[in-house]
Amino acid sequence: MSLEQELTRINVMQPWLGEEEVAAVSEVLRSGWVAQGPRVAAFEAAFAQAQQAEHAIAVSNCTTALHLALVVAGVGAGDEVVVPSLSFIATANAPTYVGATPVFADVDEATGNLTPATIATVVTPRTRAVIAVDQGGVPLDMQAIRAFCDPLGITVIEDAACAAGSTAHGRPVGAGAEIAAWSFHPRKLLTTGEGGMVTTSRADWAARARRLREHSMSVSAADRHASVLASPETFDEVGFNFRMTDLQAAVGIVQLGRLPEMVARRRELATAYAFAIAQLSGLRMVADPAWGTTNFQSCWVEVLPEHPLDREEMMMHLAGAGISARRGIMASHRQPAHSHRDHVALPVTERLNDQTLILPLFHQMTGAEHERVVDALESAWRP
Ligand SMILES: *Cc1c(COP(=O)(O)O)cnc(C)c1O
């Protein structure tokens, strides 16, 4: 290994953007229509088709998508919403935007996701909804969760922020959900800079979400702009400005076309990591569950107690080789914003939060970069 290689930093994630995205944005700029318009509509149609969703509504990010999903599902003040603490904080924050209370449930150690069993321990008569996350892209078992929640009248919202390109029960994730929320932040696979989507099987929820994202206007800004003599609009309820721009949607359309290739490359690199890690002691890597495939948005590894290094020491060891790993998924109940809330014991959440780290994995990663990460994991401990 040359000194130069050694000094080049390997990042945990890098978006894969190219000249097609540049051309798409230029075309939008030249068209003069930069806010929500025809490209947003085209991106919604393409995304709905790719995810096998009946309806898709583009929004400004996944946090606003979750907020909108809770509103159209009728969740409000006094309601409880079951969420995993082991998730990016937006999952726990969203219920508070509608006056509801997030209630933390533990997760399964293999997937990092909620299960019917972990949800069951925190359900009360006030439970109105569950936000179930496909954590790090690992598909949750929506069939099992809905089999538990539907008879209780509990709405399941799928937080598929990380999971574009993952599959469950032979279909794209989200296809089995009544409503799902997606993110196009650069930390995910498909990116529009910032951006999000709501997908839903319900026409009534889709229509309301579409109005609510632009102030509950009866006439969309795009329709108003398209007509010479615009009809007067009405505002039927208090809405939001959660719009995506045509600039973002143009990038999204190109990125959606790249998604299968991105997933294939990530799975190839992750398989090579899994092979190397299987030869090492004291490390456990995330894997596909029985009912689906992950896009490896986060390729996490647990540093087990038998390993002489703990997670922090392993991160330092990797940093010494110029490798920028990240701590594993956060735990919201440990953050000041939510630490005041009562919660059940969350032993698996705390263990994964303390012992996991995320390995560098991105589309353009070279074989040499991948080898450097594997070498560093190997040199950490040879029993
Ligand atoms: C990234 C992420 C979000 C937030 O997405 P934004 O588009 O940044 O608002 C929500 N939930 C999960 C699980 C995430 O990973």
Side-chain angles (χ1 to χ4, degrees):
M1 192 189 297
S2 74
L3 185 63
E4 194 179 301
Q5 259 181 330
E6 210 158 37
L7 293 174
T8 316
R9 176 173 154 177
I10 303 177
N11 289 320
V12 75
M13 182 64 163
Q14 256 170 249
W16 183 38
L17 296 159
E19 286 308 312
E20 292 92 333
E21 283 85 346
V22 174
V25 170
S26 301
E27 197 188 316
V28 176
L29 287 172
R30 290 201 181 92
S31 80
W33 193 318
V34 290
Q36 180 184 293
R39 270 91 181 172
V40 167
F43 183 37
E44 289 172 339
F47 193 80
Q49 192 181 22
Q51 301 306 322
Q52 298 180 19
E54 280 86 346
H55 309 277
I57 302 98
V59 289
S60 46
N61 55 64
C62 183
T63 307
T64 55
L66 288 169
H67 185 169
L68 214 46
L70 288 160
V71 174
V72 300
V75 180
D79 292 334
E80 291 178 356
V81 179
V82 176
V83 299
S85 167
L86 191 82
S87 184
F88 182 62
I89 200 159
T91 310
N93 286 349
T96 71
Y97 303 153
V98 296
T101 304
V103 175
F104 296 122
D106 211 2
V107 292
D108 168 54
E109 64 169 18
T111 61
N113 291 334
L114 296 182
T115 66
T118 68
I119 295 168
T121 61
V122 297
V123 163
T124 76
R126 289 169 62 195
T127 305
R128 185 65 195 76
V130 173
I131 302 179
V133 181
D134 302 293
Q135 193 50 257
V138 180
L140 56 90
D141 190 349
M142 182 56 86
Q143 284 180 4
I145 292 177
R146 285 192 68 178
F148 174 76
C149 290
D150 287 359
L152 299 173
I154 298 170
T155 299
V156 184
I157 297 167
E158 185 165 359
D159 181 343
C162 306
S166 299
T167 67
H169 301 291
R171 300 177 70 193
V173 292
E178 206 170 11
I179 191 159
W182 308 78
S183 174
F184 308 128
H185 184 272
R187 179 66 186 81
K188 326 297 182 184
L189 275 67
L190 185 175
T191 187
T192 58
E194 294 275 1
M197 193 76 78
V198 174
T199 55
T200 174
S201 58
R202 288 187 51 160
D204 55 340
W205 287 4
R208 187 155 172 236
R210 213 170 275 292
R211 283 195 305 274
L212 279 169
R213 81 167 157 190
E214 51 178 337
H215 308 287
S216 285
M217 249 192 315
S218 58
V219 184
S220 77
D223 288 346
R224 202 179 35 176
H225 190 87
S227 52
V228 180
L229 180 62
S231 49
E233 60 271 8
T234 57
F235 299 86
D236 297 331
E237 60 179 318
V238 176
F240 310 95
N241 179 356
F242 287 168
R243 284 180 299 233
M244 176 183 274
T245 68
D246 263 25
L247 290 165
Q248 293 164 302
V251 175
I253 292 166
V254 179
Q255 286 270 295
L256 186 61
R258 293 189 193 275
L259 186 61
E261 213 183 320
M262 285 191 223
V263 174
R265 178 67 179 146
R266 292 186 76 81
R267 287 185 59 83
E268 184 184 13
L269 291 164
T271 302
Y273 272 146
F275 181 79
I277 287 167
Q279 327 293 314
L280 302 174
S281 308
L283 298 176
R284 172 180 78 99
M285 193 183 119
V286 65
D288 287 334
W291 53 85
T293 58
T294 172
N295 61 7
F296 286 102
Q297 184 266 349
S298 285
C299 184
W300 57 259
V301 170
E302 182 174 12
V303 184
L304 298 165
E306 59 260 37
H307 200 288
L309 301 189
D310 65 17
R311 192 266 313 272
E312 294 300 308
E313 290 163 341
M314 180 63 102
M315 294 217 9
M316 267 160 53
H317 172 77
L318 293 173
I323 296 160
S324 185
R326 287 281 177 271
R327 286 182 188 82
I329 315 301
M330 63 173 293
S332 296
H333 76 282
R334 289 173 152 179
Q335 293 300 319
H338 294 285
S339 57
H340 62 284
R341 300 186 189 285
D342 289 336
H343 58 80
V344 296
L346 301 164
V348 180
T349 297
E350 293 185 350
R351 195 187 99 200
L352 295 180
N353 179 233
D354 288 337
Q355 298 188 357
T356 59
L357 60 84
I358 297 169
L359 295 177
L361 189 60
F362 48 91
H363 188 85
Q364 310 90 322
M365 189 174 211
T366 64
E369 287 171 328
H370 191 272
E371 215 168 294
R372 257 176 68 195
V373 178
V374 170
D375 285 349
L377 290 172
E378 281 173 359
S379 67
W381 182 37
R382 287 183 221 281

